[in-house]
Amino acid sequence: MKKALIVANLAGFVSFLKNDIEALKKMGYEVSYAANGNKLAWDGTKKWLGESGVPFFQIDFDSKNPNETLTEINVRPSCFAPKTSRLDYITLSGF
C-alpha cells in the first residue's frame, strides 16, 4: 500500500486538509498525520482522525516556523525514560 504523511505545525490545521486526506485515501494511500497537538484544544480533530482511521504522531514544534528550530519526532506508540537523567546507559530487564 502507498503511504502519505502529512505534517503541519498545529494539529488543528487538519480541518483544512480533510478533503485532501479523503482524496488520498480514495486513491489507495494509507494516510498519517503529524503535528503539534499541545498548542491548542483539538478534541474534535483528534476524534475525526480516529474515526477516519488516520494515525496521529505528536511532533513538538517550538516555533511557528519548524524550519527554524530543532524538532524531535517520536514515531513509537509509547516510550520510556530512565528515572535519572544524563546517564550513559540504560539497563532493561523483564523481557
Side-chain angles (χ1 to χ4, degrees):
M1 175 177 276
K2 299 178 282 186
K3 296 183 180 188
L5 174 63
I6 297 174
V7 180
N9 191 17
L10 299 174
F13 191 73
V14 76
S15 62
F16 297 102
L17 301 170
K18 287 181 179 180
N19 291 335
D20 298 319
I21 291 171
E22 291 301 327
L24 285 167
K25 289 172 67 177
K26 285 179 183 174
M27 293 187 315
Y29 283 85
E30 178 184 319
V31 181
S32 298
Y33 184 63
N36 190 345
N38 295 329
K39 299 270 182 174
L40 69 146
W42 62 289
D43 290 337
T45 301
K46 196 177 202 179
K47 181 180 177 185
W48 181 83
L49 288 169
E51 290 172 350
S52 299
V54 177
F56 175 77
F57 297 95
Q58 172 64 33
I59 300 177
D60 294 326
F61 289 129
D62 288 331
S63 71
K64 291 185 179 180
N65 184 349
N67 296 319
E68 295 177 355
T69 184
L70 183 64
T71 302
E72 179 180 334
I73 300 173
N74 177 8
V75 296
R76 294 179 178 90
S78 61
C79 290
F80 63 91
K83 292 179 183 176
T84 307
S85 62
R86 304 200 181 265
L87 293 176
D88 291 334
Y89 61 91
I90 298 175
T91 303
L92 302 174
S93 62
F95 289 96

